[in-house]
Amino acid sequence: MIHDALIVGGGPAGSTAALLLARAGWSVVLAEKSVFPRRKVCGEFISATSMALLREVGVGDDFACAAGPEIRRVGLFAGEAVLTATMPRLATQAACGRALGRDRLDTLLLEAAARAGARLRQPAKVVGLVRVPNGFACTLAEERSAMQVAARLVIAADGSWERSVLDTDAPLHRPHDLLAFKAHFRSGDLPGDLMPLLVFPGGYGGLVTSDDGRISLSCCIRRDRLEDCRRRYPLLRAADAALQHIFASCAGARAALGAAQLDRAWLAAGPIRPGVRARHRDGVFMVGNRAGEAHPIVAEGISMAAQSAWLLARRLIARQDEIMAERVRDDVAACYAADWDAAFAMRIRAAAAFAHLAMRPAAVALLLPVFRRFPAVLSWGATLSGKARQVVAA
């Protein structure tokens, strides 16, 4: 059997693409290498801009029942400063962003894709991908065997932090690479409606109250700064040394997590290399972090991933009767890239500017008086990051 589409990766981008295409009558294979539910390095926040999409794919009610409290305020914890401002709201709806652990969110979306008719292969890793005259021949390595899948189209939704068969060059390790850490905490002291940005030398992070009252901490730190932390705290693991560095730099973080208990082990990932990437290459369409990635400082990763899948799916479905013509695929790729740029390019540039400033103590020292005098600047920054931009129509 030749399937209409093979989707590599079952996270928010892959599951959303699989669901929308399957619902439109496509025969879809969705290959995911991990067993769900799985934990993942992620800030977990989903902005209000994605609520319409969650309802469209049929998981809006389940998300509302499971997610943490509505986030109505943004904040900045830097040095001794603890600043807050109102989260910008969408003009078209009253919904607020909320956080949900990836172990729950990804399972919700994957199960919805399967109900829509996508054929799920899990755990299955793509180990071979070859262009053939009528599409692609793909080799999936499963637990005890390998199988061949033929597909007219391939959509890569397997993220950018781990190497896959789609990667050609091995990444170099650089001192300024950003490494990511993530953990949940219980019995902390963070207002449920507040999502603060943590600023510390050589990195940045964020706190948010997620499902079951857990506080989610996610952070990025430069490799060279992490090595300094390891030398300063030689008896601690890398993540714990990074946490002590955050506590030493952010009074707000100390107050929120100083008496909290770690809930399960730390997760780590990286290096993170944000930026705009190819949205279509050698016949393969890219969604999620494969297409482009903002610095996590803006907490838009999940929303961008799912929304990018929606942008691509609507273009493919609109031309599905003629999609096998190369000129049509090229036209769809060009339209999708234009849609993607219009939706996300500005926030990627804004995120890069915010991240570079946040990691420099001298810049933070210069800007803090402005933030103290005009806290609404935090709301403006959240607006630039995409918190009030509607990509998927309500």
Side-chain angles (χ1 to χ4, degrees), residues 253-270:
R254 291 196 304 273
L257 299 179
Q261 290 82 49
L262 182 67
D263 182 20
R264 303 179 67 177
W266 283 91
L267 300 177

Side-chain angles (χ1 to χ4, degrees), residues 24-290:
W26 291 46
S27 63
V28 177
V29 175
L30 176 56
E32 168 53 51
K33 64 182 179 60
S34 301
V35 176
F36 284 13
R38 55 98 189 264
R39 301 168 66 215
K40 190 173 179 63
V41 176
C42 177
E44 301 185 352
F45 178 74
I46 302 178
S47 68
T49 62
S50 287
M51 298 304 151
L53 179 54
L54 294 178
R55 291 193 295 271
E56 181 174 337
V57 300
V59 302
D61 290 341
D62 290 334
F63 175 85
C65 289
E70 292 186 337
I71 303 302
R72 299 178 180 274
R73 293 184 295 157
V74 291
L76 175 66
F77 293 173
E80 298 301 310
V82 175
L83 308 175
T84 65
T86 302
M87 177 71 79
R89 303 291 291 272
L90 290 173
T92 56
Q93 56 180 304
C96 294
R98 301 169 69 183
L100 181 64
R102 290 292 297 272
D103 51 344
R104 295 189 176 188
L105 175 67
D106 290 9
T107 302
L108 279 179
L109 290 170
L110 194 72
E111 290 175 348
R115 289 194 300 270
R119 181 186 177 194
L120 178 61
R121 308 303 305 188
Q122 184 186 34
K125 183 175 182 179
V126 177
V127 295
L129 188 65
V130 179
R131 289 289 299 268
V132 295
N134 59 347
F136 294 85
C138 178
T139 304
L140 302 183
E142 300 186 302
E143 288 184 299
R144 294 182 177 84
S145 62
M147 68 173 297
Q148 300 294 318
V149 172
R152 294 183 175 91
L153 291 176
V154 171
I155 298 174
D158 54 341
S160 63
W161 295 359
E162 299 178 15
R163 285 183 55 75
S164 76
V165 70
L166 300 171
D167 295 309
T168 55
D169 299 321
L172 300 175
H173 289 268
R174 301 171 296 192
H176 61 273
D177 281 340
L178 285 176
L179 305 180
F181 295 97
K182 152 75 174 293
H184 286 119
F185 294 84
R186 293 194 180 274
S187 302
D189 188 16
L190 178 72
D193 69 335
L194 175 65
M195 183 172 68
L197 168 66
L198 312 181
V199 172
F200 50 90
Y204 57 82
L207 294 172
V208 69
T209 302
S210 190
D211 49 285
D212 292 337
R214 302 180 298 176
I215 296 176
S216 173
L217 165 65
S218 56
C219 63
C220 295
I221 184 169
R222 283 174 53 123
R223 189 189 301 275
D224 50 4
R225 179 64 69 167
L226 181 61
E227 292 172 355
D228 291 340
C229 294
R230 298 294 300 276
R231 287 190 290 268
R232 194 180 316 143
Y233 306 103
L235 300 181
L236 298 182
R237 296 173 302 173
D240 292 317
L243 180 62
Q244 292 306 311
H245 178 56
I246 293 172
F247 283 173
S249 307
C250 295
R254 291 196 304 273
L257 299 179
Q261 290 82 49
L262 182 67
D263 182 20
R264 303 179 67 177
W266 283 91
L267 300 177
I272 299 170
R273 292 182 178 139
V276 178
R277 304 184 178 97
R279 274 56 62 86
H280 179 260
R281 186 178 69 239
D282 299 329
V284 177
F285 290 93
M286 316 289 181
V287 293
N289 283 357
R290 275 284 170 192

Side-chain angles (χ1 to χ4, degrees), residues 317-357:
I317 292 167
R319 306 290 296 273
Q320 60 187 9
D321 293 335
E322 48 184 347
I323 195 63
M324 286 313 298
E326 184 174 357
R327 62 171 182 80
V328 174
R329 290 198 304 274
D330 290 343
D331 185 50
V332 167
C335 291
Y336 165 57
D339 293 342
W340 196 101
D341 286 341
F344 307 127
M346 174 60 74
R347 73 184 71 178
I348 285 183
R349 289 193 291 269
F354 296 159
H356 289 302
L357 289 172

